[in-house]
């Protein structure tokens, strides 16, 4: 497996403790998840019907403010796995540094992959990939700039896994444009990553191809029921977005105590420049708080946002040691 956050088993191996003893801030997953409520037994026991899947699709169109075709999948990662099969192998360019699965998946499928540092360098690629906002540094691009790039590439994939709290950045409303494909993650913003739900949004031909490759039941009945409920809850999304903005400022203030410098981030995680990220990670881990470090950037430390007040208090105490 490639290097990712969420590797809490490694933390336990090195520093001990049970999984429930740890505060896992190594991911960008909301630690105050959507209140799921009751899920019917039918959602667990019956195969999802076509009508139920269609209802989820319609709800997602509402949440993402789009009329474009879309298909539900087992997380945005499921869509990434299928990208190499959407067209003949060619030249892929990825705006980097970013989520490392894109390069690995495309390279394994025989694509010629190049990582580039700016939008203009993506031009002329058969497949161009931009994560917006970016993981891990939070770099953002305006819809105008991305749409200007679209006619200069064969297919443009925009990964909006961290865009829920910044909907003004989303190109989902424009996703029916030829050659544009948007990927959305449900689990991060709604704090339900274990549900494995995401969406691909785009032109009818691309979405039909992805749906055909995904099979007749791409998501579970429980994912449909919970996804419909959460994606309709505009009030929860609005209040959560506001809280995340406040929590980002709170975490940045705490990081200043350690003289860490903010590199960037999104409303779900922050990236700091530290003197020694491994040493910082170890200090946090001895208080059973797990963080994310990067092999290629030994001074970068990424922290998700704590959830409960007890988690915030524990983080403050560990940082003060």
């Amino acid at each position: 497996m490639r290097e990712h956050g969420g590797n809490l088993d490694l933390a336990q191996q090195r520093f001990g403790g049970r999984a429930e003893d740890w505060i896992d801030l190594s991911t960008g997953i909301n630690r105050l998840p959507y209140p799921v409520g009751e899920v019917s037994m039918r959602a667990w026991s019956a195969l999802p019907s076509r009508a139920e899947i269609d209802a989820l699709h319609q709800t997602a169109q509402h949440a993402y403010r789009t009329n474009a075709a879309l298909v539900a999948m087992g997380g945005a990662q499921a869509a990434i796995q299928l990208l190499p099969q959407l067209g003949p192998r060619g030249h892929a360019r990825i705006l980097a540094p970013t989520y490392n699965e894109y390069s690995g998946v495309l390279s394994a499928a025989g694509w010629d992959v190049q990582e580039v540092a700016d939008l203009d360098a993506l031009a002329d690629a058969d497949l161009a990939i931009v994560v917006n906002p970016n993981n891990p540094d939070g770099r953002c691009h305006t819809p105008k700039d991305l749409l200007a790039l679209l006619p200069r590439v064969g297919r443009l994939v925009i990964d909006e896994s961290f865009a829920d709290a910044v909907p003004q950045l989303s190109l989902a409303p424009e996703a029916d444009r030829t050659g544009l494909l948007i990927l959305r993650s449900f689990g991060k913003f709604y704090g339900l990553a274990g549900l494995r739900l995401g969406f691909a949004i785009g032109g009818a031909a691309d979405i039909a191809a992805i749906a055909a490759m995904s099979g007749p039941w791409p998501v579970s009945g429980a994912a449909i029921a919970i996804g419909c409920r959460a994606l309709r809850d505009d009030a929860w999304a609005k209040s959560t977005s506001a809280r995340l903005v406040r929590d980002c400022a709170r975490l940045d203030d705490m990081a200043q105590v350690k003289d860490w410098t903010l590199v960037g981030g999104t409303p779900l995680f922050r990236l700091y420049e530290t003197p020694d990220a491994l040493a910082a990670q170890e200090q946090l881990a001895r208080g059973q708080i797990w963080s994310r470090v990067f092999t290629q950037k030994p001074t970068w430390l990424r922290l998700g946002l704590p959830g409960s007040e007890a988690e915030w208090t524990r983080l403050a105490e560990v940082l003060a040691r």
Side-chain angles (χ1 to χ4, degrees):
M1 180 181 290
R2 282 175 277 273
E3 183 182 84
H4 294 294
N7 54 341
L8 197 57
D9 50 352
L10 176 61
Q12 292 175 259
Q13 290 169 13
R14 290 176 57 189
F15 300 99
R18 304 167 301 168
E20 55 266 33
D21 298 327
W22 284 81
I23 301 173
D24 187 2
L25 303 185
S26 69
T27 74
I29 298 167
N30 183 359
R31 288 190 63 82
L32 291 177
Y34 184 80
V36 169
E38 293 186 6
V39 178
S40 71
M41 181 53 66
R42 187 185 183 284
W44 298 106
S45 62
L47 286 172
S49 69
R50 184 70 258 170
E52 289 166 336
I53 295 173
D54 287 344
L56 176 61
H57 289 168
Q58 292 165 11
T59 305
Q61 286 174 318
H62 158 77
Y64 301 139
R65 301 175 301 150
T66 186
N67 293 317
L70 57 74
V71 60
M73 310 186 71
Q77 184 64 45
I80 294 171
Q81 299 297 136
L82 298 181
L83 286 180
Q85 302 175 54
L86 277 182
R89 285 178 293 184
H91 301 287
R93 292 181 185 167
I94 303 169
L95 192 61
T98 196
Y99 184 55
N100 60 23
E101 286 293 327
Y102 284 102
S103 179
V105 167
L106 289 162
S107 296
W111 281 69
D112 173 41
V113 177
Q114 180 184 8
E115 295 189 344
V116 300
D118 58 72
L119 280 182
D120 283 341
L122 295 169
D124 300 323
D126 299 305
L127 176 63
I129 295 170
V130 179
V131 179
N132 191 47
N134 189 45
N135 174 19
D137 60 11
R139 179 168 45 164
C140 296
H141 302 278
T142 67
K144 180 181 177 181
D145 288 343
L146 293 172
L147 288 175
L149 175 66
L150 181 59
R152 304 169 65 195
V153 300
R155 179 179 281 109
L156 177 60
V157 175
I158 309 295
D159 183 330
E160 295 184 350
S161 290
F162 291 99
D164 293 76
V166 281
Q168 68 274 15
L169 291 179
S170 178
L171 272 178
E174 307 287 341
D176 55 357
R177 294 178 182 240
T178 301
L180 181 60
L181 184 66
I182 309 297
L183 306 185
R184 297 292 296 237
S185 168
F186 172 86
K188 294 179 177 63
F189 179 72
Y190 290 92
L192 299 170
L195 197 66
R196 307 310 304 138
L197 178 62
F199 300 89
I201 314 171
D206 277 350
I207 298 305
I210 292 172
M213 288 187 283
S214 299
W217 303 289
V219 293
S220 69
I224 293 170
I226 295 169
C228 283
R229 190 177 302 164
L231 290 168
R232 289 191 194 108
D233 197 337
D234 297 338
W236 185 90
K238 182 178 180 180
S239 64
T240 295
S241 296
R243 174 184 60 81
L244 291 172
V245 170
R246 296 191 300 270
D247 285 353
C248 284
R250 184 177 183 180
L251 185 58
D252 290 344
D253 287 344
M254 292 171 69
Q256 286 184 348
V257 174
K258 302 294 291 184
D259 291 326
W260 296 345
T261 303
L262 180 67
V263 176
T266 75
L268 284 167
F269 64 81
R270 314 304 281 166
L271 182 68
Y272 300 108
E273 181 84 23
T274 72
D276 184 337
L278 282 174
Q281 184 186 54
E282 181 169 341
Q283 179 193 357
L284 290 165
R286 296 199 181 283
Q288 294 188 307
I289 297 172
W290 195 228
S291 56
R292 173 81 192 275
V293 295
F294 301 85
T295 302
Q296 301 302 318
K297 295 283 187 177
T299 58
W300 278 10
L301 181 80
R302 195 186 74 182
L303 282 177
L305 306 179
S308 67
E309 280 303 312
E311 291 186 355
W312 282 100
T313 298
R314 189 157 130 202
L315 176 62
E317 289 173 350
V318 172
L319 287 176
R321 290 175 187 170

